[in-house]
Amino acid sequence: EILTSTIDGIRLILNVESASLLLADEERGELIFKKTLGEDPDWIFQYSLQVDRGLVSTCVRTGRPLLVNNVDSDGRFHAAVDAVTGFETRSVLCAPLITRGQVLGAVEVINKRGGPFDLHDQDLLVSMTASVANAIHNARLFHQLTIANADLEASRWEVTRSRNTLRALFDGIPHPIYIVDHRYNLVALNRACAQIAAAGALPAAAAADKNPFAALVGQACYQALYARPEPCAGCRVAETLFAGQSTQRTERRWAADDQMSEWEISTYPIHDERGQAIQAVVLGQDVTEKRRLEASLAQSEKLAAVGQLAAGVAHEINNPLAAIIANTQLLQRELPADDERQESVSLIAMAGDRALQVVRNLLDFARQERYEFAPTDLNLTLQNALALATPLLRNPALVVTQDLAPDLPPVLASQDHLQGVWLNFLLNARDALSESGGEIRLTTRRQGNEVQVAVADTGMGIQPERLNRIFEPFYTTKQAGRGTGLGLYTCHRIVKQHGGQIRVDSQVGRGTVFTVILPLAGAPAV
């Protein structure tokens, strides 16, 4: 509408029969879009033409105005380009549309009424086309800006969607992940990482916020996440940022309840366009359960091999041992009661009986025993085991306490076998206590679809390097003659047959806790 009004205004001001607007197509070369106005308020013609000659083509190529009052005498005139259908073209005045040194097209007027064109008309047209050129240029810029804004909005939407997707993936990772810069300041962190901070050192104001991420970003990671005044011991972030390489280390952490967890900490560099590490991604994985399962699997394989070996060795030893015991009994009968050799023979008999008991134990452990499972009251099995052990726990300085859950549901189990497990734990707890006494505590609890039975003592504890071996057959820390090293091995095998597991927590000088976890009836086995 603006161009229509402008060209019509030019036609009226210059008092011509028609005025045409021609716009050059930069991408397609000499193609010109021509729009012509006459007496009517609407365009007479709108069409495209390929021009390589004519007054208009010369005006566009040279960027200079042209004034021709007699077109018949000018060889540059080309009717197919310069003339307008319905008019007898006698004179032409043409001025280029120039802005910022660029020719956008031209304005052509024909047949001035009342006489020929003069220089005043030319200057006036040049002045008006300058305004038209600026208007066209601004309109094009506005159009380009509109397109750019639309592209920018589409890009912004795409970036927002990608960011939300990455944020969801980032927060969906169950392991804590965070990104730090060269000063250990947090750049980003996922929800699992923020939850660690919320459970520890997160400020109260941020902890009350539904999204605590913003409160943590910008803080030093060791302060915000671990409440430490300096970088964590063994931290390898600096190595990643300096060398631009990934690292991995293992770390042990102690919780407030003295529970130990094992973590694998990995760091990965983020490079800039020059290939320099500017940030580091830190990934922490709690591998406590993974390590426990790996150790349990290795232990089970080891125990299976040892069991097969023990069965074969036991059968080979049993025959000569039976001959030794039988001949010892004959000697005891034949020798006079006051014979001084009776003592030596008695010692041989005692040693033979003890060796025979070890062989019987080996055979019991090696063979596949039949377990008769039935709904069992674990509290009752604990009390039965305690009753059996009471004569062996008679020490005024030894205290046995019970914290048994009254609403404990029954489990499918072999009562006799479990009683043997509890009895073994009780005797081990007694042996771990010094003559000055201590406490043995029995606890039962339900946790979801599992039942936990714990036997704890305040004894000497087990050294960390020995914890990994306590379930191996024949491994014992007791004095000679006080244990064969098969008790915990047997307990491990029985609990495994019940689909459960045994966890051991021990600290030297503070005591040991043996926890048996058994699945409830109908629950999946551990």
Side-chain angles (χ1 to χ4, degrees):
E1 293 177 356
I2 294 175
L3 287 177
T4 302
S5 300
T6 303
I7 299 302
D8 190 50
I10 292 175
R11 184 182 65 81
L12 294 174
I13 291 172
L14 293 177
N15 193 22
V16 294
E17 295 181 3
S18 70
S20 300
L21 173 67
L22 300 96
L23 297 177
D25 190 329
E26 298 176 357
E27 296 180 357
R28 301 176 65 179
E30 289 294 325
L31 187 65
I32 298 284
F33 181 61
K34 183 173 182 179
K35 306 169 73 172
T36 302
L37 275 175
E39 297 291 341
D40 297 329
D42 295 325
W43 299 104
I44 300 175
F45 300 105
Q46 298 187 56
Y47 58 91
S48 299
L49 66 159
Q50 187 79 33
V51 296
D52 54 359
R53 54 182 176 168
L55 295 173
V56 169
S57 177
T58 304
C59 177
V60 171
R61 286 199 306 270
T62 61
R64 295 179 180 180
L66 290 176
L67 191 159
V68 178
N69 280 315
N70 185 5
V71 295
D72 293 335
S73 62
D74 195 310
R76 294 172 297 179
F77 176 76
H78 185 62
V81 177
D82 298 318
V84 176
T85 304
F87 295 90
E88 180 186 356
T89 304
R90 300 182 299 277
S91 59
V92 173
L93 176 61
C94 184
L97 295 170
I98 301 177
T99 180
R100 303 179 187 275
Q102 181 183 5
V103 179
L104 305 180
V107 172
E108 178 192 48
V109 293
I110 66 171
N111 301 342
K112 180 181 178 180
R113 296 187 179 94
F117 291 112
D118 55 26
L119 292 179
H120 174 73
D121 296 329
Q122 178 176 302
D123 293 341
L124 182 58
L125 181 59
V126 169
S127 177
M128 289 188 289
T129 54
S131 299
V132 174
N134 287 330
I136 293 174
H137 179 72
N138 292 336
R140 289 181 177 179
L141 289 179
F142 182 77
H143 180 65
Q144 294 172 1
L145 182 61
T146 302
I147 295 175
N149 284 336
D151 293 340
L152 183 61
E153 181 65 20
S155 299
R156 187 189 66 81
W157 181 83
E158 185 66 28
V159 168
T160 301
R161 190 182 68 169
S162 300
R163 183 196 63 186
N164 292 339
T165 301
L166 291 175
R167 182 83 252 180
L169 291 173
F170 198 47
D171 289 340
I173 298 174
H175 307 297
I177 303 178
Y178 56 95
I179 303 173
V180 297
D181 59 17
H182 282 80
R183 296 184 178 181
Y184 295 92
N185 291 331
L186 288 169
V187 177
L189 66 160
N190 69 344
R191 189 170 299 277
C193 189
Q195 289 172 349
I196 292 178
L202 187 64
D209 192 352
K210 293 182 179 179
N211 184 8
F213 300 93
L216 293 171
V217 172
Q219 299 185 36
C221 59
Y222 50 84
Q223 293 176 345
L225 302 180
Y226 307 108
R228 293 175 177 171
E230 57 186 14
C232 306
C235 179
R236 303 184 69 179
V237 168
E239 180 180 342
T240 297
L241 292 172
F242 178 76
Q245 297 179 350
S246 302
T247 68
Q248 189 175 64
R249 65 185 177 92
T250 302
E251 177 182 280
R252 288 188 173 183
R253 299 176 182 174
W254 293 93
D257 56 356
D258 293 332
Q259 296 293 320
M260 188 272 292
S261 59
E262 187 172 350
W263 289 74
E264 282 185 356
I265 312 298
S266 304
T267 60
Y268 307 93
I270 299 178
H271 299 94
D272 60 9
E273 62 278 2
R274 296 175 295 176
Q276 296 181 351
I278 57 173
Q279 294 174 342
V281 179
V282 183
L283 167 64
Q285 292 179 279
D286 187 349
V287 295
T288 307
E289 189 68 13
K290 176 184 176 183
R291 293 286 185 267
R292 187 194 62 76
L293 292 175
E294 290 174 350
S296 177
L297 178 61
Q299 185 71 14
S300 299
E301 294 175 349
K302 186 187 300 183
L303 293 180
V306 171
Q308 294 177 0
L309 177 63
V313 172
H315 283 292
E316 292 297 327
I317 294 177
N318 205 31
N319 291 332
L321 194 58
I324 292 173
I325 293 174
N327 285 285
T328 301
Q329 292 174 349
L330 290 175
L331 286 174
Q332 286 178 324
R333 294 176 185 175
E334 294 177 359
L335 290 175
D338 57 350
D339 194 317
E340 61 182 9
R341 290 174 292 180
Q342 278 285 4
E343 182 178 358
S344 298
V345 175
S346 298
L347 290 175
I348 295 174
M350 291 176 59
D353 289 338
R354 176 169 175 75
L356 183 62
Q357 184 61 44
V358 172
V359 171
R360 287 174 180 170
N361 289 341
L362 282 173
L363 292 175
D364 289 341
F365 302 148
R367 73 170 182 262
Q368 295 291 330
E369 296 185 68
R370 295 183 59 186
Y371 287 75
E372 296 182 0
F373 292 94
T376 302
D377 185 350
L378 291 183
N379 288 340
L380 181 60
T381 62
L382 271 172
Q383 292 170 347
N384 291 341
L386 183 59
L388 293 173
T390 296
L392 302 175
L393 301 176
R394 289 176 179 171
N395 183 347
L398 192 153
V399 178
V400 179
T401 59
Q402 301 181 54
D403 182 13
L404 308 182
D407 56 347
L408 201 66
V411 298
L412 284 178
S414 173
Q415 179 174 336
D416 293 337
H417 285 89
L418 287 186
Q419 286 182 183
V421 173
W422 314 144
L423 183 60
N424 192 282
F425 287 167
L426 286 168
L427 296 181
N428 283 346
R430 178 205 61 181
D431 294 339
L433 297 170
S434 63
E435 295 182 358
S436 58
E439 180 184 3
I440 299 176
R441 185 175 182 83
L442 307 179
T443 306
T444 59
R445 290 287 185 272
R446 176 178 179 173
Q447 296 288 339
N449 292 327
E450 299 175 336
V451 175
Q452 297 184 0
V453 179
V455 179
D457 65 70
T458 58
M460 65 184 72
I462 305 173
Q463 296 178 356
E465 62 272 13
R466 294 181 175 179
L467 276 176
N468 294 331
R469 301 191 59 192
I470 60 176
F471 294 111
E472 294 180 8
F474 306 110
Y475 180 80
T476 180
T477 59
K478 297 179 181 179
Q479 297 178 358
R482 296 195 62 182
T484 61
L486 293 171
L488 289 179
Y489 164 63
T490 306
C491 294
H492 180 274
R493 185 171 57 84
I494 291 173
V495 173
K496 184 178 179 182
Q497 288 291 331
H498 284 75
Q501 57 180 295
I502 302 178
R503 291 181 180 175
V504 185
D505 298 305
S506 183
Q507 293 189 42
V508 177
R510 299 186 61 178
T512 303
V513 181
F514 281 87
T515 304
V516 174
I517 303 173
L518 298 173
L520 290 174
V526 178

